[in-house]
Amino acid sequence: FDTESAVWELASWQADWRKSVVDGEMILDHAEVSHQHMTYYDYVAEVSIRPVKIDDYWIGDLGFNNGADGGCGMKVGEDGTVEINCGMGSQKIRLKKSYAYRLQVIVKGSQIALFANQQPLGYFDIEEYRLYRGPSPKLNLYADGITAFDDFKVWNLTKYELP
């Protein structure tokens, strides 16, 4: 992340002070930002998430949707619990408590795979996710508390076929 990047945009109702970039990390203070240059529906996205102050309450979320109604997300908090919301309902998985967490999502057609710290957390095959696409897919980062996001990467998988 850098200070010149306009790729991540705060929701229109949020004040600019809720987002800053410090030493290459995007710091969100009870805020949500959306990636403005997503144009493909099949991708790998990953980001590192950590608290800014170790003892403070915090939650970081990597959310994504197909531009229509279908959406998923992974939230991780200070106790190492990852909450997955994808398809119907949600589930919680307890990870080993860590200073930082690396969240990754792989989306190809109707298939969605979720990982945290290189550990597989869930696989979903949601046909509606592929069928009911909106005008553009969305990637969001969300912070409840003051949370740092770093080393965001996204790869376009559109040209790759599944075996």
Side-chain angles (χ1 to χ4, degrees):
F1 298 100
D2 63 49
T3 54
E4 302 301 317
S5 176
V7 171
W8 295 97
E9 188 174 284
L10 283 163
S12 60
W13 50 270
Q14 293 179 322
D16 287 341
W17 63 266
R18 293 192 176 277
K19 175 185 134 188
S20 61
V21 176
V22 178
D23 295 329
E25 292 182 310
M26 182 167 46
I27 310 297
L28 297 181
D29 185 346
H30 297 85
E32 181 174 7
V33 293
S34 296
H35 193 288
Q36 299 302 303
H37 294 161
M38 277 298 291
T39 58
Y40 35 91
Y41 294 90
D42 300 320
Y43 55 87
V44 176
E46 62 183 36
V47 66
S48 293
I49 300 175
R50 70 168 185 83
V52 172
K53 296 180 182 174
I54 298 299
D55 295 327
D56 284 356
Y57 166 83
W58 68 279
I59 290 178
D61 185 357
L62 170 60
F64 56 99
N65 72 51
N66 61 4
D69 291 334
C72 297
M74 285 188 293
K75 291 181 186 178
V76 63
E78 79 276 358
D79 66 352
T81 298
V82 177
E83 182 178 349
I84 298 172
N85 293 296
C86 199
M88 302 299 222
S90 67
Q91 62 184 12
K92 292 184 179 182
I93 299 167
R94 176 75 71 147
L95 298 176
K96 181 179 176 185
K97 191 170 179 176
S98 177
Y99 169 72
Y101 299 88
R102 186 84 181 154
L103 300 183
Q104 182 184 64
V105 58
I106 303 171
V107 178
K108 182 67 177 165
S110 63
Q111 299 177 53
I112 300 166
L114 306 174
F115 298 83
N117 295 347
Q118 299 181 339
Q119 176 183 336
L121 299 182
Y123 169 80
F124 304 88
D125 194 342
I126 306 170
E127 192 61 18
E128 293 81 10
Y129 197 86
R130 181 186 63 81
L131 292 174
Y132 304 112
R133 292 180 170 175
S136 64
K138 301 268 191 276
L139 279 172
N140 301 313
L141 301 176
Y142 169 78
D144 187 5
I146 303 173
T147 306
F149 297 83
D150 193 16
D151 199 25
F152 174 82
K153 295 179 177 132
V154 63
W155 297 272
N156 184 350
L157 297 180
T158 302
K159 295 180 182 178
Y160 298 97
E161 294 298 321
L162 293 174

